[in-house]
Amino acid sequence: VYAQGVGDTVAAAIGESLPPEEFDGLYWSEVEAPRFKKSGRRYTRGWGKKIFKASSKQQYIEVMHDDRRNATTLFLDRALQLTDVGEHMYHELMAHVPLQTLASPPKDVLIIGAGDGGVALRVLMHPSVQRVVQVELDGQVVNTSKRFFPTIARAFSDPRMDLRIEDAIDWATQEAADSPNAFDACIIDSTDNPLVSIWSAEFYAALRRMIRPGGVLMQNIAGFEEADHIRNMLRLRREGGWQRTRAVVMATIDYEHPYIGFLSSGLDTPCPGPAPDAEAR
């Protein structure tokens, strides 16, 4: 059975025993397990079969084929990441919303996480973009996306793309001193909690130094039920110099309830909203 197979494999990888999952006919439901209770939501797995599994140094990766919707689905540590029928609803919001708020069309964009390539693909659709630096922790996620989601992962072959496989939080704190005002915008698309380093005010301050005046920061945050996490993330951003933040509500067919992103700027920019020429872009 799928649940037992996943439990055995992940348990072997992390040296822990995992509780069994339940199957209610439509969703695989996680039980109350601290390590894997990411937001309490249930993750759609539909009816299908697992076509790929791998354990990287950071996480357990699975690709499922949903026969019911004829969809290919990516999971990381059991958590749904995307389906190839619904990913555009999420990735377009993550990319186009922040870039369309900039006073001038973006030229240089920093992406953190987003190893499937969906955010980069939409960023590169903007003709003004000349350079994308993407820092992704897990190279196995990139390779998996290239194999099973080639339409999305084609972004990695764009000559404007500079992909770096390393811990982005550590990278940002070191890079800020060498590359001030290097980017027009930063987009963070990651798991709710980092796998290696942790979110900190110092990290957001480093990003603030790398973003040009008038630039913005976009990040996926959490579901509505994660009130404490949302408040903490807002506090860290403010302490790091991102004093103005708008909530961006994202809803896709891949999740059973909306998800919140934060669009932030410093005091040098009005609370981010659409640029006057957003539609023309």
Side-chain angles (χ1 to χ4, degrees):
V1 177
Y2 176 77
Q4 184 63 45
V6 172
D8 291 345
T9 304
V10 179
I14 65 175
E16 298 178 11
S17 60
L18 300 178
E21 290 183 330
E22 302 171 359
F23 184 58
D24 64 5
L26 179 60
Y27 296 103
W28 287 95
S29 303
E30 295 190 23
V31 296
E32 301 291 321
R35 179 179 174 84
F36 292 96
K37 185 188 175 188
K38 291 185 168 52
S39 68
R41 59 179 178 261
R42 298 185 297 175
Y43 303 101
T44 304
R45 301 234 172 137
W47 291 270
K49 61 182 179 180
K50 180 162 49 178
I51 58 177
F52 176 78
K53 63 179 180 179
S55 294
S56 70
K57 293 181 179 180
Q58 288 79 27
Q59 55 203 331
Y60 184 63
I61 303 168
E62 301 164 275
V63 178
M64 300 285 290
H65 184 74
D66 184 341
D67 296 324
R68 184 166 168 261
R69 293 196 297 168
N70 191 28
T72 305
T73 306
L74 175 67
F75 290 87
L76 300 179
D77 283 345
R78 294 183 177 171
L80 174 66
Q81 303 301 305
L82 63 88
T83 72
D84 59 4
V85 297
E87 57 83 22
H88 63 287
M89 300 179 182
Y90 172 80
H91 289 136
E92 289 181 8
L93 280 168
M94 287 293 294
H96 298 322
V97 168
L99 299 189
Q100 295 288 68
T101 68
L102 298 172
S104 300
K107 295 182 179 180
D108 303 283
V109 179
L110 172 64
I111 299 174
I112 292 177
D116 52 71
V119 170
L121 181 66
R122 274 63 183 201
V123 168
L124 291 164
M125 289 179 177
H126 290 252
S128 62
V129 172
Q130 300 175 0
R131 178 178 67 123
V132 173
V133 175
Q134 179 166 348
V135 188
E136 160 63 35
L137 177 65
D138 194 345
Q140 182 63 54
V141 174
V142 175
N143 294 334
T144 300
S145 187
K146 288 179 178 179
R147 178 177 173 184
F148 294 99
F149 303 92
T151 302
I152 305 171
R154 70 180 188 271
F156 295 120
S157 62
D158 191 292
R160 294 171 289 174
M161 168 65 72
D162 178 6
L163 176 63
R164 308 180 186 191
I165 304 299
E166 54 185 299
D167 177 13
I169 297 180
D170 182 60
W171 173 87
T173 54
Q174 297 185 44
E175 190 75 8
D178 299 328
S179 302
N181 299 327
F183 300 98
D184 298 301
C186 174
I187 302 171
I188 304 175
D189 179 18
S190 70
T191 53
D192 292 352
N193 295 299
L195 295 173
V196 178
S197 302
I198 60 173
W199 306 124
S200 66
E202 291 74 20
F203 165 67
Y204 289 111
L207 293 182
R208 191 76 186 90
R209 290 192 292 272
M210 283 192 284
I211 302 301
R212 294 167 183 148
V216 295
L217 167 65
M218 178 73 175
Q219 183 176 4
N220 63 330
I221 299 298
F224 281 107
E225 73 280 5
E226 292 288 324
D228 290 341
H229 177 65
I230 292 170
R231 281 192 290 266
N232 183 56
M233 293 296 285
L234 182 59
R235 176 185 62 81
L236 292 175
R237 293 163 92 87
R238 287 174 173 168
E239 291 177 358
W242 301 94
Q243 293 95 340
R244 291 182 168 141
T245 294
R246 279 192 177 184
V248 179
V249 179
M250 298 174 278
T252 84
I253 61 174
D254 293 338
Y255 295 92
E256 65 176 352
H257 62 70
Y259 199 84
I260 295 175
F262 278 167
L263 178 62
S264 302
S265 70
L267 293 176
D268 58 344
T269 304
C271 192
D277 63 341
E279 291 189 13
R281 295 184 194 176

